[in-house]
Amino acid sequence: MWPYEDSRAAVRDALRLSRAMTFKSAVAGLPLGGGKGVIVLRAGEPPPVPEQRRAALLDFGDTVQSLEGRYVTAEDVGTSDADMTVIAERTAHVTGLAGGSGDPSPWTALGVETAIRVACRSVWGTPSLEGRSVSVVGLGRVGAKVGELLAQGGARLIVSDVDEGKRRLAERLGAEWAEPRAALLADVDVVAPCALGAVLDDDSVPALRCRVVAGAANNQLATDALAGALTAREVLWAPDFVANAGGIINISVELEPAGYDRERARARVLGIGETLSTIFEEAERGQTSPLSAAMTLARRRLQEAGAPPPAASRGAPAA
Ligand code: NAD
């Protein structure tokens, strides 16, 4: 649920995000395709009052129901688990409800922590976070949990958010507070982008001072070509659609015939580590970027599944 200028912009976003979901599921080895729904808010207008919000969610539920299970919806930017409960009044094709797999964010965070450890092992030979300096940009549902997991692992943290109210969380984590731009360009081992997309652009990439970038944010690269620029600068980038797949992996467990099970979900999410190791190895062997290696893996899996070839790239895939 997001403000869009017009319906064309909303359709474009839904197509971009659904394409990304396809790659995310394929790389994670899930028996899912890619779909995304958007609920359009009017840009520049005040947010809907509760009755309007409820009505929009019920309409959305009807739309999902009309697809008879070919699309299954879930919580994402601008929606909460309470919203999913409203949608469930109209359709059973909704996941992430209390009693099911629940809020996906902690699982996304677990996947990001795993990705950071794998990237550290690749650069420094050990996955240990003890004494590693990490900058977490964005302390929302995922970023706050990533910060907690890293602090528990012994990392020294810089944290940042546009919301000054998050300073309290920084104190609780024993972290240093920085402005978002300073946090992105900080002299640290690892930067974890956990806010919005396109943070890695022609200005920031040459100015990065870290060796690893691995985080939850979608669509981190402003353009695909920046994957090569990062590799040339010897900054190891964990493709976002690999590192942030924990949420969808957790949801996929709910869709299995055996039903949801936390331990099975945990094991599957930790599998992001193995996938990412393979991608880093392939990238090194092929003298290419992790993005290119991840896309090759995704395309191979889609081909094996008999899916039609995905449309040509118009930007980094990440939902
Ligand atoms: P969220 O809305 O809970 O948190 C985003 C946080 O980033 C907020 O605290 C916000 O104030 C902050 N922020 C916004 N702009 C910023 C900026 N320029 N600099 C610093 N901070 C800024 O969202 P979330 O669920 O934590 O998701 C974070 C990112 O991870 C998003 O890109 C989302 O699409 C992606 N993601 C989330 C999940 C999930 O399970 N929630 C799964 C996959 C990917």
Side-chain angles (χ1 to χ4, degrees):
M1 188 183 288
W2 197 251
Y4 292 97
E5 283 304 323
D6 54 29
S7 55
R8 256 192 325 185
V11 168
R12 208 180 304 127
D13 203 30
L15 289 172
R16 184 182 66 85
L17 291 167
S18 57
R19 174 178 180 276
M21 288 306 290
T22 306
F23 286 112
K24 190 182 291 201
S25 297
V27 168
L30 304 178
L32 298 172
K36 206 76 178 182
V38 299
I39 299 175
V40 181
L41 301 181
R42 297 213 179 280
E45 287 186 12
V49 298
E51 304 87 81
Q52 288 170 321
R53 186 180 179 96
R54 181 177 158 75
L57 291 166
L58 292 176
D59 281 355
F60 186 74
D62 287 339
T63 308
V64 171
Q65 181 57 28
S66 74
L67 295 169
E68 298 175 337
R70 290 191 294 278
Y71 171 63
V72 181
T73 198
E75 174 184 344
D76 202 336
V77 174
T79 56
S80 66
D81 40 358
D83 293 332
M84 296 307 112
T85 310
V86 177
I87 292 170
E89 289 180 34
R90 294 293 172 85
T91 182
H93 305 300
V94 49
T95 59
L97 300 169
S101 61
D103 177 6
S105 311
W107 299 95
T108 304
L110 177 65
V112 169
E113 183 211 1
T114 306
I116 290 173
R117 286 182 182 274
V118 167
C120 286
R121 190 178 61 205
S122 191
V123 173
W124 294 286
T126 165
S128 170
L129 296 172
E130 198 65 51
R132 282 266 162 261
S133 51
V134 187
S135 180
V136 182
V137 188
L139 289 179
R141 286 174 300 181
V142 180
K145 187 71 192 166
V146 167
E148 235 173 74
L149 293 170
L150 298 178
Q152 281 164 15
R156 287 182 293 119
L157 293 180
I158 294 177
V159 296
S160 177
D161 201 290
V162 286
D163 177 358
E164 289 278 325
K166 298 284 165 77
R167 277 178 183 267
R168 277 194 303 276
L169 179 59
E171 276 166 35
R172 232 179 47 224
L173 293 171
E176 188 184 321
W177 179 264
E179 292 310 310
R181 182 81 185 163
L184 182 67
L185 304 182
D187 187 6
V188 287
D189 296 323
V190 181
V191 168
C194 293
L196 303 182
V199 285
L200 300 173
D201 59 19
D202 289 333
D203 290 331
S204 62
V205 167
L208 288 173
R209 289 192 285 168
C210 57
R211 289 290 311 280
V212 166
V213 178
N218 279 315
N219 222 9
Q220 289 168 25
L221 301 180
T223 64
D224 280 7
L226 288 159
L230 286 162
T231 304
R233 285 212 56 210
E234 297 190 359
V235 176
L236 186 62
W237 180 63
D240 38 24
F241 61 103
V242 181
N244 71 14
I248 185 73
I249 292 172
N250 180 55
I251 284 171
S252 77
V253 173
E254 184 177 337
L255 301 174
E256 289 174 4
Y260 186 66
D261 175 76
R262 274 183 79 83
E263 283 314 307
R264 221 164 62 242
R266 191 178 159 78
R268 297 267 162 82
V269 172
L270 294 177
I272 287 176
E274 207 174 302
T275 305
L276 195 57
S277 292
T278 308
I279 287 167
F280 287 155
E281 282 161 21
E282 291 288 321
E284 201 170 330
R285 196 170 312 131
Q287 294 288 296
T288 182
S289 68
L291 174 63
S292 169
M295 295 295 280
T296 302
L297 175 62
R299 289 210 160 86
R300 194 167 65 232
R301 292 216 169 124
L302 287 170
Q303 215 166 20
E304 283 164 7
S313 169
R314 272 162 303 174

